[in-house]
Amino acid sequence: IVSFTDTENYSYSDLNNAINSSLGGLSMGVDIYSDRNNREKVSVLADLSFKVLYENLGRAFELAQEILFREKYDDGKRLYEIIAELKSDLQMSLMMSGHVAASLRANSYYSESGLLKEKLNGIEFYKFVERIEGDFENEKEKLILLLFAFQYY
């Protein structure tokens, strides 16, 4: 959802045009790290990365700040479009890479990090998105609150 909605200073199409014209790419994800001394102790961290030429480095950080701190999540119609597209992408991924989903699910039974990976990237995440998309009007407010909480955490 990050960078696919309007921000305080950009419409989402203008934001993506700015990203594409100034950067070689931008991505946001969530990574799970296990403590090397205690495999059951895990940390979940958001990861924003971009590719940029040195002369555009300042612009890259401006756009990163715009995405991280000024994103607007109150356009229900746009949020639904994003959720529906995400669901479609996840369905396609599950069909094309079912073995990865099976591996994530199997690992979820053996470790805390495996369980978190399943909830963030596996079948459980797909079910979460499917539930939101299927009952969007009732889930919309909770989703918006969750996104704003993430933004200010």
Side-chain angles (χ1 to χ4, degrees):
I1 293 178
V2 173
S3 86
F4 292 109
T5 63
D6 294 345
T7 68
E8 290 176 11
N9 300 309
Y10 294 89
S11 69
Y12 71 89
S13 60
D14 289 342
L15 178 62
N16 280 301
N17 287 339
I19 289 168
N20 291 333
S21 66
S22 302
L23 310 179
L26 181 137
S27 64
M28 178 93 182
V30 177
D31 289 316
I32 298 158
Y33 299 94
S34 296
D35 186 298
R36 67 180 174 175
N37 297 320
N38 180 359
R39 306 279 300 152
E40 291 303 311
K41 184 178 177 186
V42 296
S43 298
V44 179
L45 302 173
D47 177 29
L48 177 76
S49 60
F50 48 80
K51 296 179 248 177
V52 64
L53 295 173
Y54 182 76
E55 63 257 19
N56 293 334
L57 191 58
R59 179 77 170 135
F61 281 109
E62 288 172 19
L63 292 171
Q65 285 181 331
E66 190 73 23
I67 290 165
L68 292 172
F69 305 117
R70 296 185 197 97
E71 198 107 32
K72 293 182 179 179
Y73 299 113
D74 52 4
D75 183 350
K77 182 178 180 228
R78 180 66 185 144
L79 280 178
Y80 180 79
E81 291 170 356
I82 295 166
I83 293 296
E85 185 176 338
L86 177 60
K87 180 185 170 197
S88 176
D89 290 348
L90 291 169
Q91 282 177 328
M92 191 178 322
S93 177
L94 284 170
M95 286 189 280
M96 301 298 288
S97 303
H99 63 289
V100 174
S103 176
L104 284 171
R105 179 60 71 119
N107 284 331
S108 74
Y109 296 110
Y110 296 104
S111 71
E112 185 72 22
S113 63
L115 179 62
L116 288 170
K117 286 178 185 177
E118 163 66 13
K119 287 183 176 187
L120 293 171
N121 299 312
I123 294 169
E124 287 301 315
F125 181 65
Y126 171 76
K127 287 179 180 179
F128 171 74
V129 171
E130 182 180 47
R131 187 187 82 239
I132 291 173
E133 193 262 347
D135 192 17
F136 187 75
E137 283 307 311
N138 291 323
E139 297 288 337
K140 177 173 56 175
E141 292 304 317
K142 287 187 274 187
L143 176 62
I144 290 169
L145 288 173
L146 182 68
L147 290 168
F148 277 117
F150 174 74
Q151 186 176 33
Y152 293 107
Y153 179 68

